[in-house]
Amino acid sequence: MLELLGSALLNIMQWKYLLPLFLGTLMGVIGGAIPGVTITLTIIILLPFTFGLDPLQGLAAMTGVYVGGSAGGLITASLLGIPGTPSAIATTFDGFPMARAGEPGRAVWLGIWASCFGGLIGGLFLVLVTGPLAAIALQFGPWEYFSLFILALAMVAGLAEGSLTKGLISAGIGLVIAMFGNDPVGGIPRFTFGSDFLGGGFPFLPVLIGIFAFSQIMTDVENLGRSKTARESAQVRGSLRVSQLKVIGEIISRPFLLLWSTIVGIAIGVLPAVGGSAANMLAYDQAKKLSRHPERFGKGTPEGIIASESANNANVGGSLVTIMAFGIPGDAVTAVMLGAMTIHGIQSGPLFVSQNADLAYGIYAAYILAHPLMVLIMAVAAAIMLRISQVKLSILAPIVLVLCVVGAYAVNNTMNGVYVLLIFGVLGYGLVRTGFPLAPLILGLILGEQIELNLIRAIMTDDNPWLFITRPISGGLLLVAVISVALSIWQHMRHTRRTASVEPDF
Amino acid sequence: MRVSRDGVIGLILAALSLGLLVQSFSLPQLPLTPVGPGFYPRIVLGLLALAGVALFLQNVIANRADTAAVDEVPAETGFWRVPLLFGIVAAYIFLLPVLGYRLATILFVMLVMPAIEWPRSVQAWAAVISISIATSLVSHLVFERYLLVLLPRGSLTGW
């Protein structure tokens, strides 16, 4: 196995593979860094260019986009507070406060190295344990998937600062948004009120861009007079120059965090329909719950950045294994890759690795090599990215808003996406202003359809509802979900007691 | 009983959830499946309505415990800019299919920049105009020419 991987690494270092891999990684970093231009959009743009290449060249370029894009999102997440991609949502929670506190270099490089280490460990881990992971995932039925998604929601709702009720409501709003349009089982129009606009439901990307970008920009605009100094502190005092050894040391000194976040990323990546957006938030939640100082999360702690970024790059490895071993796309990006493989006449599935060993190990090698390439690109481009954060808000805001509008429009090339962007921009700002967390809403939106599909599938297979509890894996996942909610309540109560015991400082 | 912002939000949420819940009962039942398209929404909307009521009750209890508590009165902020900015974004979005991407984007940036920070010199106004034009043309060039992303055409201008 390792011999095959070694020869594949040597093979991919040839210029004919290295160049597409490098260009793909560069495109991914740029696409990931621009809010509104997602990895999916970047890989779709790249797709036509791969048709003229040989299969490994094309798949290497796509793998590069995937790795580069997963890491690229951290730049805007840390420097602007707007995740360039959904897989960098949790990076904003601590990356942006750290950058604002005058350490943008530390925030960005912690993310870059965590992405690299998480991705590399994830790659190695997956090469070694592909078989056992596939065997576990194969045992999952709709009961297990349903319970897993409920667990994910319960965990992320627990991220809510201050109020678990608001976190759960936020998740519920996300689930409700996902209900509009045709129901996923029978295709019956639901809550459309006879409107064509609502007929197709709310497209995910414009909702995501609207909620996150608008709430961030509008809050910044609102606080312009009040928090100008806070905003400028990251710009004026900050530099991206940091001691690389020190940053690497910060990550290496937290081996359990790195390894656990990587495992969370891989596990989420392996499961279909749960992509990097869920992986980074779940890893963040885990890091917060397992931390000795959960109160530091959201205020610029390195743990938050390391957890989020190592998980989202490890998630890429998980998604790649799923597509290679089972032929199931883990997310929209791997769905495009699956399409490209089909165009090249490659049948993905259980026999893929044994029948196309050169190609399979070539993809592994491309995935592993894309990480040092990504670090190299970031080392050159990160300084340029800092300039973005140094631009005045009056210049930055209209440009970002224009990019958001373009991103929403490009989803279907219709104005509907742009209207959705505006509606959810207002909603997102309103929720932030009233203290509702946005992360559970987004996860509810992502998982909504899959939760419903698996619930209905389970009922159609066997109408005994106790199966959700009596099936060991499903029951175990639901138990963990209950424990997660209980832990959140306990943490909240402990925090309230501690706050109450401290004399107010007037 | 004193109800503040969270309590009102809880009640609105519960009312909206119940409204959709009622609507879900009018959805047709599929012949071949044991549950129809309204089954799952009813569970979620029911739980959401309960969560809304819980938020309302939590707010009432919190207000009763702390009678001196008042809703947070924010310090003087630039809140007035937010509705203004949303208004400009809305105008931009509705003008996009009329004027086309290039012209609408120039106007949009030209309005947003002074709305956030009023230019106080001729140079600052020159910067506003040049950034507006550059944003529109550069983004159009990058997306349409290089990224092959088609941008909205104007029904009035034809481009």
Side-chain angles (χ1 to χ4, degrees), chain A residues 93-94 97 158-162 284-304 490-492 494-496 498-499 502:
Chain A
F93 301 161
D94 283 291
L159 277 171
E161 286 296 336
Y284 183 88
D285 176 63
Q286 289 286 298
K288 187 180 176 184
K289 287 207 170 90
L290 297 172
S291 172
R292 288 177 190 168
H293 302 287
E295 73 282 357
R296 290 182 188 169
F297 279 70
K299 294 170 185 167
T301 185
E303 280 93 342
W490 176 72
Q491 274 185 338
H492 175 65
R494 190 178 61 165
H495 177 71
T496 309
R498 277 184 185 174
T499 311
V502 175

Side-chain angles (χ1 to χ4, degrees), chain A residues 66-346:
Chain A
Y66 205 178
V67 171
S70 295
L74 75 91
I75 297 171
T76 40
S78 300
L79 300 181
L80 300 182
I82 301 166
T85 60
S87 59
I89 289 169
T91 311
T92 57
F93 301 161
D94 283 291
F96 192 46
M98 187 183 278
R100 276 189 157 178
E103 294 185 295
R106 186 176 168 223
V108 168
W109 278 102
L110 272 170
I112 294 169
W113 284 114
S115 294
C116 183
F117 292 146
L120 287 175
I121 296 168
L124 201 62
F125 185 81
L126 285 164
V127 170
L128 296 173
V129 298
T130 299
L133 277 177
I136 292 169
L138 276 174
Q139 288 176 8
F140 276 32
W143 301 271
E144 285 76 22
Y145 278 119
F146 173 81
S147 303
L148 180 79
F149 297 146
I150 294 299
L151 167 64
L153 275 184
M155 287 173 124
V156 173
L159 277 171
E161 286 296 336
S163 170
L164 178 68
T165 312
K166 284 189 174 178
L168 291 171
I169 287 175
S170 185
I173 293 171
L175 293 175
V176 171
I177 294 168
M179 284 174 197
F180 284 79
N182 294 337
D183 96 278
V185 179
I188 306 287
R190 200 164 55 186
F191 306 137
T192 58
F193 306 101
S195 154
D196 288 339
F197 175 68
L198 291 172
F202 296 114
F204 171 66
L205 285 174
V207 173
L208 178 83
I209 299 168
I211 283 179
F212 270 100
F214 276 66
S215 62
Q216 182 62 55
I217 287 173
M218 294 303 176
T219 307
D220 275 358
V221 166
E222 183 185 344
N223 295 334
L224 192 62
R226 194 168 48 172
S227 64
K228 203 169 189 175
T229 50
R231 183 180 176 82
E232 283 175 350
S233 64
Q235 300 171 349
V236 178
R237 292 183 211 150
S239 163
L240 287 193
R241 284 190 183 175
V242 284
S243 162
Q244 299 297 334
L245 285 176
K246 199 176 165 187
V247 170
I248 292 169
E250 275 196 89
I251 299 169
I252 302 286
S253 64
R254 296 172 172 91
F256 177 74
L257 173 71
L258 181 66
L259 203 62
W260 184 241
S261 304
T262 302
I263 290 168
V264 169
I266 293 164
I268 294 295
V270 165
L271 298 168
V274 194
S277 46
N280 78 110
M281 286 197 282
L282 273 179
Y284 183 88
D285 176 63
Q286 289 286 298
K288 187 180 176 184
K289 287 207 170 90
L290 297 172
S291 172
R292 288 177 190 168
H293 302 287
E295 73 282 357
R296 290 182 188 169
F297 279 70
K299 294 170 185 167
T301 185
E303 280 93 342
I305 303 170
I306 295 167
S308 168
E309 283 303 318
S310 54
N312 68 22
N313 268 64
N315 174 80
V316 177
S319 295
L320 288 176
V321 158
T322 309
I323 196 176
M324 286 162 70
F326 312 114
I328 301 167
D331 54 18
V333 181
T334 42
V336 177
M337 290 180 79
L338 189 70
M341 286 167 85
T342 311
I343 287 165
H344 283 289
I346 302 159

Side-chain angles (χ1 to χ4, degrees), chain A residues 165-166 190 222 394 402 409, chain B residues 6 37 58 78 93 101 113 150:
Chain A
T165 312
K166 284 189 174 178
R190 200 164 55 186
E222 183 185 344
S394 59
V402 166
Y409 181 81
Chain B
D6 279 359
Q58 279 176 357
I93 286 171
Y101 175 78
M113 286 183 71
L150 288 175

Side-chain angles (χ1 to χ4, degrees), chain A residues 27 34 37 41 45 48-49 146 163 165-166 168-173 175-176 179-180 183 185-193 214 217-219 221-226 228 392-395 397-399 401-403 405-407 409-410 413 415 418-419 421-422 425-427 429 433-436 447-449 451-452 455-456 459-460 463, chain B residues 5-6 9-10 13 17 19-21 23-24 27-28 30 32-45 48 51-55 58 72 74-83 85-86 89-97 101 105 108-110 112-117 131 135-136 139 143 146-153:
Chain A
M27 252 183 101
I34 300 173
V37 180
L41 180 62
I45 292 164
F49 297 103
F146 173 81
S163 170
T165 312
K166 284 189 174 178
L168 291 171
I169 287 175
S170 185
I173 293 171
L175 293 175
V176 171
M179 284 174 197
F180 284 79
D183 96 278
V185 179
I188 306 287
R190 200 164 55 186
F191 306 137
T192 58
F193 306 101
F214 276 66
I217 287 173
M218 294 303 176
T219 307
V221 166
E222 183 185 344
N223 295 334
L224 192 62
R226 194 168 48 172
K228 203 169 189 175
K392 283 169 142 182
L393 185 63
S394 59
I395 297 171
I399 294 171
L401 288 172
V402 166
L403 288 175
V405 168
V406 171
Y409 181 81
N413 273 1
M415 285 302 292
V418 187
Y419 301 141
L421 176 86
L422 180 62
V426 175
L427 179 73
Y429 172 72
R433 199 162 157 75
T434 48
F436 283 85
L447 299 182
E449 188 176 306
I451 289 174
E452 180 173 7
L455 176 67
I456 305 299
I459 292 169
M460 285 172 78
D463 60 2
Chain B
R5 190 185 63 193
D6 279 359
I9 292 170
L13 194 73
S17 303
L20 283 176
L21 188 67
Q23 171 78 15
S24 74
L27 292 168
L30 293 170
L32 297 174
T33 54
V35 288
F39 173 74
Y40 167 76
R42 283 195 281 274
I43 297 171
V44 175
L45 290 164
L48 194 58
V53 172
L55 189 65
Q58 279 176 357
E72 188 188 343
E76 194 179 335
T77 66
F79 177 70
W80 59 272
R81 290 194 193 94
V82 176
L85 206 53
F86 267 123
V89 173
Y92 172 53
I93 286 171
F94 288 103
L95 280 176
L96 265 175
Y101 175 78
T105 301
F108 172 69
V109 180
M110 216 176 271
V112 170
M113 286 183 71
I116 296 174
E117 192 176 339
I131 289 169
T135 302
S136 172
S139 60
F143 280 104
Y146 295 105
L147 296 179
L148 306 174
V149 175
L150 288 175
L151 298 169
R153 296 282 183 276

